[in-house]
Amino acid sequence: MSFSFTLAATDGVARTGSIATPRGEIRTPAFMPVGTAGTVKAMMPESVAATGADILLGNTYHLMLRPGAERVARLGGLHRFMNWDRPILTDSGGFQVMSLAGLRKLTEEGVTFQSHIDGSKHLLSPETSMEIQRLLGSDIVMCFDECPALPADEGAVEASMRLSMRWAARSREAFGDRPGHALFGIQQGGVTEDLRGQSAEALKTIGFEGYAIGGLAVGEGQEAMFGVLDYAPGMLPQDRPRYLMGVGKPDDIVGAVKRGVDMMDCVLPSRSGRTGQAWTRRGQVNLRNARHADDPRPLDEACTCPACRNYSRAYLHHVVRAGEMIAGMLLTWHNLHYYQELMAGMRAAIAEGRFAAFETDFHATREAGDIERL
């Protein structure tokens, strides 16, 4: 079975459809939980699947450093290694090199850097990134790019974009012919429409199975991000999936889907869960707050996740304050469940032509705020 994308319905610019892969269907719009080092933190793979996730994200930079891509390949590939039989997307490693690595040197060839773990030296290039992702065995591979932090000088953004496009061509060549696997190109260009357009044209000339919008959610703020999303998705092919990298909060996600995005990922639901933060229909709830200490009610009475079905706010407050491991487990499950429920709600709304009403209700419910304290 080959990789393919089917568009089922549109409502305005919002789209719903499905990506077919040999490892299963990905319903779009899709949210991908982040399994950085071969695990979604505080979750069992079967629990992640139970939230409704069709696909996970794995991180090339972290996996190449530990346990090593060759070791993962010897042990049967990332799917078998982490006990996840559904699709996996791996990022290229470029963003983490820029944000996490120690000393690093950027050249036309690639990036030489020191591991943040043990200081060992490594080279990541379009060719080595493709090889590492091949060894991991991911279903969707991201081309190697450079992602400058914003705000940045436009000249620097343009030079970075042009380098990324040269690397995209090298990634395409190095990826080769891998039936059932897909390579996504990454649009760059900061917040400049002309540069975004040039980047999109370069990527379309090379040709990819899907296209990502990169270089956002890196400090530019929601207004600037939405400004780019008002035009950037439309520059990319209609018949291929569009992936907004590293986004985001629930209102970022709804705004992105409204503007034609099909796929997103973010560490936020799992990271928040480990710090006592819950995302709900009514907005963010901080379980550390004393107001929950005697509250026998569930976190969200309409939610069917284990945290809401089986535990009170008082209990969740207690285990968060006590630093118990179960706190991160329950709140991460809840957050991922909420995110997947949000995606399912948007898919249904788009299919039924009522996305505008869905969006209005989404914002109104959040603005009403959390339930009254007892």
Side-chain angles (χ1 to χ4, degrees):
M1 179 185 177
S2 61
F3 180 96
S4 64
F5 175 60
T6 303
L7 201 55
T10 59
D11 186 1
V13 182
R15 300 143 46 106
T16 186
S18 66
I19 300 168
T21 81
R23 291 189 182 271
E25 176 195 19
I26 305 161
R27 298 162 294 175
T28 63
F31 179 81
M32 299 181 283
V34 176
T36 302
T39 171
V40 177
K41 289 180 174 64
M43 294 287 284
M44 301 279 281
E46 49 269 39
S47 305
V48 178
T51 68
D54 294 331
I55 177 172
L56 292 184
L57 183 142
N59 189 276
T60 292
Y61 170 85
H62 288 280
L63 291 165
M64 72 178 275
L65 296 179
R66 185 173 55 197
E70 293 83 1
R71 177 171 289 151
V72 173
R74 286 196 304 272
L75 293 166
L78 186 56
H79 294 84
R80 179 179 292 180
F81 188 59
M82 68 178 291
N83 188 32
W84 176 264
D85 61 3
R86 299 182 184 194
I88 295 174
L89 179 149
T90 44
D91 60 16
S92 70
F95 180 78
Q96 280 71 30
V97 167
M98 297 302 161
S99 62
L100 290 181
L103 295 172
R104 55 185 180 265
K105 183 182 178 186
L106 177 70
T107 66
E108 187 69 34
E109 183 185 4
V111 186
T112 306
F113 66 93
Q114 281 189 322
S115 163
H116 74 287
I117 298 170
D118 60 9
S120 57
K121 281 194 173 180
H122 301 268
L123 168 70
L124 256 183
S125 67
E127 293 76 17
T128 57
S129 178
M130 293 306 101
E131 175 61 9
I132 291 164
Q133 293 182 78
R134 185 191 67 79
L135 289 167
L136 295 174
S138 55
D139 306 276
I140 300 176
V141 170
M142 301 306 298
C143 71
F144 190 62
D145 69 332
E146 190 205 359
C147 178
L150 296 179
D153 168 72
E154 189 165 322
V157 172
E158 179 175 1
S160 173
M161 181 273 285
R162 299 205 184 285
L163 176 63
S164 288
M165 295 308 99
R166 295 192 294 276
W167 284 357
R170 285 167 55 190
S171 295
R172 178 82 267 181
E173 186 173 351
F175 181 81
D177 184 27
R178 297 183 59 203
H181 298 263
L183 179 64
F184 280 27
I186 305 174
Q187 182 202 48
Q188 291 289 355
V191 295
T192 305
E193 186 168 358
D194 179 54
L195 294 181
R196 287 273 169 189
Q198 292 181 44
S199 179
E201 290 307 311
L203 293 173
K204 288 189 283 188
T205 298
I206 299 166
F208 292 93
E209 287 75 53
Y211 294 83
I213 301 162
L216 295 177
V218 289
E220 75 284 356
Q222 188 189 72
E223 186 180 347
M225 180 178 76
F226 283 171
V228 174
L229 293 179
D230 282 336
Y231 57 77
M235 295 172 166
L236 303 172
Q238 290 281 320
D239 62 347
R240 302 292 162 93
R242 303 161 175 166
Y243 163 31
L244 177 60
M245 305 179 77
V247 172
K249 294 179 180 176
D251 55 330
D252 293 335
I253 289 174
V254 173
V257 169
K258 178 184 181 178
R259 291 164 173 82
V261 168
D262 304 305
M263 303 166 70
M264 283 138 288
D265 78 281
C266 192
V267 298
L268 197 62
S270 47
R271 181 175 289 168
S272 296
R274 300 193 306 278
T275 57
Q277 305 288 325
W279 294 92
T280 76
R281 293 172 301 117
R282 294 172 172 269
Q284 201 172 1
V285 177
N286 183 355
L287 271 307
R288 300 191 72 86
N289 289 348
R291 63 163 286 189
H292 306 294
D294 291 299
D295 197 331
R297 297 171 297 179
L299 179 58
D300 183 340
E301 75 283 353
C303 180
T304 59
C305 84
C308 294
R309 204 172 55 235
N310 301 323
Y311 300 94
S312 65
R313 287 177 174 231
Y315 179 77
L316 295 172
H317 168 80
H318 159 65
V319 291
V320 165
R321 292 293 293 265
E324 291 292 345
M325 207 177 293
I326 196 173
M329 294 162 63
L330 288 172
L331 291 179
T332 299
W333 192 323
H334 166 80
N335 286 342
L336 290 175
H337 178 102
Y338 168 69
Y339 269 60
Q340 295 301 339
E341 212 166 52
L342 179 63
M343 306 316 289
M346 286 192 289
R347 289 193 295 265
I350 295 165
E352 294 163 15
R354 51 176 182 83
F355 186 80
F358 176 93
E359 184 191 19
T360 298
D361 182 63
F362 166 81
H363 288 298
T365 305
R366 285 167 62 84
E367 282 164 19
D370 193 17
I371 55 177
E372 292 291 326
R373 68 169 65 199
L374 288 176

